[in-house]
Amino acid sequence: MLEELRIQSLGVIEDAVLPLGSGLTVVTGETGAGKTMVVTGLLLLFGGRADAARVRDGATQASVDGIVYVNDAEVLDRVRAVGGTVDPDDGVVLRRVVAAAGRSRAYVGGAPAPVAVLGELAENLVTVHGQSDQLRLTRRAEQVQALDRFGDIDTATFTEAFQHWRRAAGELEDRLARTGELRREADMLAYGLAEIEAVAPAPGEDVELAATAERLAHADALRLAARTAHNALAGDPDDPASDVPDVGALLGVARNALEQQSAADPHLAALAARAAELGTLAADLAGDLRDYADGLDTDPARLAHIEERRARVTGLVRKYADARADVVAVLAWAAHAKDRLGEIDVSDQALADLTAARDAAAVQTVRAADTLSAARREVAQRLDAAVTAELEGLAMSGAAFQAVVRPRARGQGTVQLGDGSQRGGEGTDGPILVGTDGADDVEFLLRPHAGAPPVPVARGASGGELSRVMLALEVCLAGTDPVPTMVFDEVDAGVGGRAAVEVGRRLARLARDHQVIVVTHLAQVAAYADRHVVVDKTASDSGGQDGSVTASDVRVVSDHARVAELARMLAGSDSPTALRHAEELLASAAEDQQGTGKPGR
């Protein structure tokens, strides 16, 4: 609910605060007093287009501030998401600033935010209906949505089926369009997999092959080094009589010398034991060196085989992996290639499967569309009766409203599903054309009076009649509209007499479940208000300069002041006759409100 609105330097308004509240609030005033700027301010506050020409002459900027109390978790979450503050009572301060130079800024909960955020919040907080806004009734999409909303029609089943069909059809179309390209890709992947599988490299094999090749290439030098080290440790087994001393013999001499004198000093015995240990280690090392030398492979054929295998593995790395990568990267490429081959199957069977999936999705979409159409036709009859009854009450005797549900015509945004066989013999024959919201074109028709043919509301209704049609629709849709605040800007234009009273009565009915703000020039409408706000433009009396509206020019009137304002609206003066007429109008509205269970003021 919008609690308060402050407007500064916007049009004729210099600085004014509008106290608002629940129920029905009417805003009245002389022509040119600034009533329209109230609606302009509301539109700006909720993300409307900024026009620097609206900034008052001499001012650097115009601003609109509003306090909104929100009972919608989604809206509050969005406010917090942009860094805005929410007070403990779920109140949020919104602000819009328009500079005379043309720049526009928005603030949500005290935090700077894109102007688009105000528009997002408005979708859940407020709807503004003006004379120009009545054009929305001529748009097919708006009419479909209104019908669905009135009947609380479930469109989710169709939407899900349609999206499933679109995905299936898109996948088949893409597969067919890219068959040649995909087949070439598949051939390349299959060739690569075959090449890798023929070599069958193992993880780390490239590293192991490199080490083996290096060892085989230097086998003779490695054997010589091992035997030389062995002979130094344990002597040359091919020349036992050699007088070249070896480490093992020398350690034996050292141990014997120490052991002979160890009785004289226990410390020397420990040193002898260490010499014996070194001899054992030298003998073990010598044995390992002998085994190493004996085990070296010097077969040139083995080296050639290893080099050949190494070349094949290295070739795979260069071809299917980064030059700095290894066999593991080649195996990863092969795994990805297998997965990709499964995705781009372009065999006749794969295409047949995709075609069958698309056709099955089309059948489900057609059935969902037919179910949705049947529901809309049933709801249309109820909407016809409800709106026609409201029009009767709005002094349009003999008028009739009709919501016509027709099969969708071919046009932008429609697609044809099959040839009609998907319906299985039920419903209308022939192909079905669908869009994102079903297979129906919905059109609102109006018969202005008895004997006249029904015509589209955009062509067959005058301004006043169109206002009443929209109001009748809003009354019928009020119970299904989640938006808490409705603003009407002189939608009673062209209406008078008993029709004006009925407009007031229906606005009051809307105000039972919504906050309703109405800018009106009709006393019959204003008489039903819970709160009556008057906007004046009297520079000499109220302090404004150059005919501006200031804070003192916005008044909430009641009692005698309200009677005087209604008299002015009725007769242009506060003559005794006009005042009596105003009092009678207030009394009649109050009695009417009490009769409907809603007290009037």
Side-chain angles (χ1 to χ4, degrees), residues 189 331-341 343:
L189 294 173
L331 297 176
W333 182 93
H336 172 74
K338 288 179 181 179
D339 293 340
R340 179 61 180 155
L341 273 175
E343 295 173 357

Side-chain angles (χ1 to χ4, degrees), residues 147-171:
L147 182 64
D148 290 345
R149 202 174 87 204
F150 177 74
D152 193 21
I153 295 176
D154 173 27
T155 60
T157 300
F158 168 80
T159 299
E160 182 178 351
F162 180 68
Q163 290 175 346
H164 177 61
W165 170 83
R166 189 153 55 182
R167 287 193 298 269
E171 186 174 354

